[in-house]
């Protein structure tokens, strides 16, 4: 029993080592990552020393040495893999052999074999899947190997047997307990690290959710300031900054006396992060040229909505080596999320430019062909019907004034319909007496808003493609009214109509035109799915186009 308590006292030292390793962020990172020369050297040194100390403080019994040396060897193999296990086992074996005794050779060989086996277990199972049951089984196997070799090769056999009768149970129990505690402590520390990482991941998503509305406006001093204030408040770091390619856009926290928004970038780490497109961490000294800058620890992540960095996100602390792995990962995740938001802003801008280009294309499509025909009509009426020519010029002037003027995305019904009415009056001259027009525009909706150039393309399609080839009885009906908090616009004709297949191609933009498809796209874009456009047609009977949009009024 006294031996058991002596060995338990020794193994407490190993348990303290396990706790300290688990609390060390760098050690845990090395343990969970593939082995490197640095991790091999660190773990070999630590656990070899632990194995040597355990041998020195072992208990002499029956002419041999009972110790917890195997625990240190097992720890080395479990945390560092085969290379560390073999190295620790070899060093522990040579040291044990140097201490002498009739079990020196067998214990040395056992120590080396146990180190290799523990490393192989770690390699095959992996640190994440390793649990206390596997650790206990490995410890029991290690003790059986050592005791088997001692009984097989130690001489005299009677002395070896007497030693094992006295030491087998205590050493086996202590090895199992020590190794199991070591693994349980490391796994608990690993769990805490993962929980911390999960909390930071949740924090990153929370921050990204709140910053979306600001960064969709682009990377500006105003949006950057809001973002850094939010990150500073939620992360509790010492300072937060956002830059563009050459200027500080926003800064908050310690060091704000010389890290001024609008000033030049001071840190070489920032330029390195942007130029190389990767995260840069500094833990042991300020990167700022300002003397006495307290920001001696920080992480810089590039903001890359495309392949090139457009700025950086930076988090700082005022104590060296105080940034955790989870915090560094938080900055990297945040930078990626903010980059996606900036990419959304760019897509929004591209979509806006595309819509404006479509609107310009629509104007270009309407104006030239129509203009030439109208001018030809005016010329022909100048002598034969000057009043008609004058009326055509007035209507053309009204229509072109609206067409060429700069408009917002939406205009009032009154403005849009005034241009359409002029267009119809001009086309009536070409149709003559065969065209009749029925207009039903509710005066209550005159100040309601609808997409610019959303009515004229539909009317033009009805007149030129639906009715113009019809020899007589051409009827066009236009209706604009309010219906259940929606503006309903309807254009119908009794023209040549279309087949179901032709309607489908027109709605799927497969006809080569941009009139109706442009209207449909702009309704989708402006009303985010709350607007609809319907096309109904039958061959030989006519066509009706109806679009419904949310009711909006323009108040002066």
């Amino acid at each position: 029993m006294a031996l058991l308590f002596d060995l338990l006292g020794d193994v407490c030292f190993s348990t303290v080592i396990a706790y300290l390793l688990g609390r060390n962020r760098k050690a845990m990172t090395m343990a969970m990552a593939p082995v490197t020369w640095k991790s091999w050297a660190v773990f070999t040194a630590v656990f070899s020393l632990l194995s040597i100390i355990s041998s020195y403080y072992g208990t002499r019994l029956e002419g041999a040495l009972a110790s917890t040396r195997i625990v240190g060897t097992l720890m080395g193999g479990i945390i560092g893999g085969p290379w560390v296990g073999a190295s620790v086992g070899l060093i522990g074996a040579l040291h044990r052999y140097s201490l002498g005794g009739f079990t020196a050779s067998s214990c040395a060989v056992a120590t080396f074999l146990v180190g290799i086996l523990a490393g192989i277990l770690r390699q095959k199972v992996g640190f994440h899947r390793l649990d206390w049951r596997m650790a206990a089984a490995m410890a029991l196997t290690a003790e059986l190997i050592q005791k088997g070799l001692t009984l097989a090769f130690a001489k005299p056999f009677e002395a070896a047997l007497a030693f094992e009768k006295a030491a087998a149970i205590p050493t086996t129990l202590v090895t199992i307990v020590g190794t199991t505690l070591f693994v349980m402590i490391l796994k608990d520390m690993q769990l805490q690290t993962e929980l911390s990482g999960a909390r930071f991941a949740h924090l990153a998503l929370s921050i990204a959710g709140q910053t979306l509305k600001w960064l969709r406006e682009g990377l500006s001093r105003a949006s950057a300031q809001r973002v850094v204030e939010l990150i500073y408040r939620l992360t509790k770091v010492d300072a937060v900054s956002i830059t563009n390619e050459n200027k500080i856009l926003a800064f908050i926290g310690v060091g704000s006396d010389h890290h001024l928004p609008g000033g030049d970038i001071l840190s070489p780490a920032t330029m390195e992060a942007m130029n190389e497109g990767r995260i840069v961490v500094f833990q042991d000294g300020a990167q700022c040229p300002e003397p006495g800058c307290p920001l001696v620890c920080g992480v810089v992540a590039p903001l890359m909505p495309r392949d090139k960095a457009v700025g950086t996100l930076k988090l700082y602390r005022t104590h060296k080596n105080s940034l955790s792995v989870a915090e560094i990962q938080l900055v990297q995740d945040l930078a990626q999320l903010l980059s996606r938001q900036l990419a959304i802003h760019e897509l929004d801008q591209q979509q806006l430019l595309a819509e404006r280009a479509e609107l310009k294309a629509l104007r270009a499509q309407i104006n030239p062909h129509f203009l030439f025909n109208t001018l030809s009509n005016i010329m022909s009426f100048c002598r034969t019907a000057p009043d008609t020519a004058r009326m055509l010029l007035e209507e053309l002037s009204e229509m072109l004034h609206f067409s060429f003027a700069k408009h917002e995305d939406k205009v009032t019904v009154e403005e849009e319909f005034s241009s359409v009415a002029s267009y119809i009056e001009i086309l009536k001259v070409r149709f003559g007496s065969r065209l009749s027009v029925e207009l039903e525009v509710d005066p209550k909706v005159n100040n309601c808003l609808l997409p610019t150039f959303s009515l004229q393309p539909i009317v033009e399609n009805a007149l030129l493609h639906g009715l113009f080839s019809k020899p007589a009885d051409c009827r066009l009906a236009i209706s604009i009214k309010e219906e259940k908090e929606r503006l309903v616009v309807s254009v119908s004709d009794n023209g040549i109509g279309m087949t179901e297949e032709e309607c489908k191609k027109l709605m799927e933009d497969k006809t080569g035109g941009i009139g109706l498809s442009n209207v449909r796209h702009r309704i989708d874009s402006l009303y985010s799915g709350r607007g609809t456009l319907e096309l109904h047609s039958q061959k030989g009977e006519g066509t009706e186009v109806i679009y419904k949009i949310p009711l909006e009024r323009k108040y002066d």
Side-chain angles (χ1 to χ4, degrees):
M1 187 62 68
L3 176 61
L4 177 61
F5 284 114
D6 287 342
L7 294 175
L8 283 174
D10 293 342
V11 87
C12 286
F13 180 73
S14 301
T15 305
V16 171
I17 295 297
Y19 176 78
L20 293 176
L21 281 172
R23 295 290 297 177
N24 186 281
R25 291 191 297 267
K26 290 185 177 180
M28 287 300 294
T29 301
M30 288 191 295
M32 289 183 281
V35 65
T36 63
W37 283 107
K38 182 179 179 180
S39 62
W40 170 83
V42 170
F43 290 140
T44 298
V46 169
F47 292 104
S48 295
L49 182 61
L50 184 61
S51 178
I52 291 171
I53 292 173
S54 298
S55 295
Y56 269 126
Y57 284 92
T59 302
R60 290 289 176 177
L61 182 67
E62 300 290 342
L65 183 65
S67 70
T68 59
R69 175 190 64 261
I70 290 293
V71 176
T73 307
L74 287 170
M75 287 181 177
I78 287 171
I79 200 170
W83 287 107
V84 175
S87 301
V88 173
L90 180 60
I91 294 172
L94 293 174
H95 178 263
R96 174 62 188 89
Y97 184 78
S98 69
L99 295 177
F102 73 94
T103 62
S105 298
S106 60
C107 287
V109 173
T111 302
F112 180 63
L113 290 176
V114 165
I116 294 175
L117 291 176
I120 292 173
L121 174 68
R122 157 61 194 273
Q123 186 179 49
K124 294 295 184 182
V125 175
F127 189 80
H128 291 278
R129 293 172 55 195
L130 193 65
D131 60 22
W132 68 269
R133 298 178 185 83
M134 296 179 185
M138 186 67 241
L140 177 60
T141 302
E143 283 294 337
L144 291 176
I145 291 173
Q146 178 167 270
K147 295 175 185 345
L149 290 174
T150 298
L151 292 174
F153 298 105
K155 304 298 182 182
F157 174 77
E158 292 76 11
L161 181 60
F163 170 75
E164 293 300 345
K165 283 181 178 180
I169 293 177
T171 53
T172 300
L173 288 175
V174 168
T175 300
I176 292 174
V177 169
T179 306
T180 302
L181 283 175
F182 173 73
V183 170
M184 290 178 68
I185 290 171
L186 290 184
K187 297 299 288 186
D188 182 66
M189 295 302 175
Q190 177 193 352
L191 177 61
Q192 294 302 318
T193 301
E194 290 175 350
L195 289 175
S196 176
R199 287 193 295 269
F200 278 116
H202 176 74
L203 179 61
L205 290 173
S206 176
I207 291 172
Q210 297 179 64
T211 58
L212 178 60
K213 57 181 178 289
W214 302 322
L215 288 183
R216 287 197 73 163
E217 300 173 2
L219 189 61
S220 64
R221 289 184 63 173
S223 62
Q225 186 62 37
R226 289 181 172 181
V227 173
V228 298
E229 288 174 354
L230 177 67
I231 296 175
Y232 181 73
R233 175 167 54 85
L234 294 180
T235 60
K236 310 297 183 184
V237 294
D238 296 315
V240 182
S241 177
I242 287 180
T243 74
N244 61 15
E245 294 172 293
N246 46 43
K247 298 287 185 181
I248 300 172
L249 293 179
F251 188 97
I252 186 171
V254 178
S256 57
D257 57 328
H258 59 279
H259 292 275
L260 301 175
D264 293 334
I265 293 174
L266 302 176
S267 167
T270 304
M271 301 309 299
E272 182 182 349
M274 279 196 295
N275 293 336
E276 298 186 11
R278 63 176 180 85
I279 192 168
V280 175
V281 181
F282 58 95
Q283 296 265 29
D284 55 358
Q287 294 280 303
C288 173
E290 183 74 15
C293 180
L295 303 176
V296 296
C297 180
V299 54
V300 185
L303 300 175
M304 302 180 65
R306 303 179 307 280
D307 294 334
K308 181 183 178 183
V310 299
T312 61
L313 169 67
K314 302 188 283 187
L315 267 67
Y316 297 98
R317 288 202 178 276
T318 55
H319 294 88
K320 293 183 179 181
N321 300 305
S322 57
L323 275 172
S324 67
V325 174
E327 286 174 322
I328 294 171
Q329 186 63 47
L330 168 66
V331 177
Q332 187 168 9
D333 293 343
L334 265 179
Q336 290 176 351
L337 291 170
L338 297 182
S339 297
R340 299 295 179 272
Q341 293 175 357
L342 292 173
I344 291 173
H345 163 71
E346 292 189 357
L347 289 175
D348 287 344
Q349 293 299 109
Q350 291 173 8
Q351 181 178 357
L352 179 61
L353 292 174
E355 289 172 357
R356 289 176 179 173
E358 284 185 354
L359 195 55
K360 290 180 180 178
L362 184 60
R363 288 173 178 167
Q365 183 194 41
I366 291 171
N367 293 327
H369 180 71
F370 169 78
L371 181 61
F372 294 144
N373 285 329
T374 303
L375 290 175
S376 296
N377 288 332
I378 292 172
M379 291 172 63
S380 67
F381 284 122
C382 280
R383 291 185 180 181
T384 59
D387 290 339
T388 301
R390 186 181 302 109
M391 181 273 295
L392 287 174
L393 281 172
E394 289 175 353
E395 299 296 351
L396 180 62
S397 174
E398 173 70 22
M399 181 182 170
L400 293 181
H401 175 75
F402 177 81
S403 179
F404 291 132
K406 292 183 178 180
H407 298 290
E408 299 295 330
D409 291 328
K410 300 173 186 177
V411 294
T412 64
V413 169
E414 185 176 20
E415 291 172 316
E416 179 83 5
F417 186 75
S418 174
S419 173
V420 171
S422 297
Y423 178 75
I424 292 173
E425 290 300 320
I426 293 172
L427 263 292
K428 276 184 177 180
V429 174
R430 294 178 62 187
F431 274 85
S433 60
R434 61 194 176 105
L435 175 65
S436 62
V437 180
E438 180 182 342
L439 303 177
E440 184 184 351
V441 181
D442 188 344
K444 295 180 181 179
V445 302
N446 277 339
N447 68 337
C448 291
L449 297 175
L450 76 172
T452 307
F453 284 101
S454 61
L455 181 57
Q456 184 166 321
I458 300 173
V459 172
E460 181 183 5
N461 283 343
L463 288 170
L464 298 183
H465 302 296
L467 294 171
F468 194 72
S469 59
K470 191 174 180 180
D473 189 28
C474 299
R475 296 194 300 272
L476 175 71
I478 301 174
S479 169
I480 308 176
K481 60 185 177 180
E482 176 185 348
E483 185 179 284
K484 297 179 180 180
E485 294 300 315
R486 293 169 74 82
L487 184 67
V488 181
V489 179
S490 170
V491 178
S492 60
D493 64 73
N494 66 337
I496 60 175
M498 293 178 287
T499 64
E500 184 177 343
E501 183 65 24
E502 289 173 327
C503 288
K504 184 178 180 181
K505 288 182 178 179
L506 187 61
M507 293 297 285
E508 292 179 353
D509 306 339
K510 295 181 179 179
T511 60
I514 62 172
L516 187 62
S517 64
N518 182 286
V519 174
R520 183 169 66 84
H521 282 311
R522 285 191 290 125
I523 288 174
D524 290 341
S525 174
L526 290 172
Y527 301 103
S528 303
R530 295 177 295 133
T532 61
L533 187 146
E534 301 172 3
L535 172 64
H536 306 285
S537 185
Q538 289 188 2
K539 194 70 173 178
E541 295 187 14
T543 302
E544 181 179 25
V545 177
I546 303 173
Y547 69 78
K548 301 177 182 180
I549 57 177
L551 195 65
E552 297 179 80
R553 297 185 185 276
K554 179 180 180 181
Y555 297 99
D556 296 329

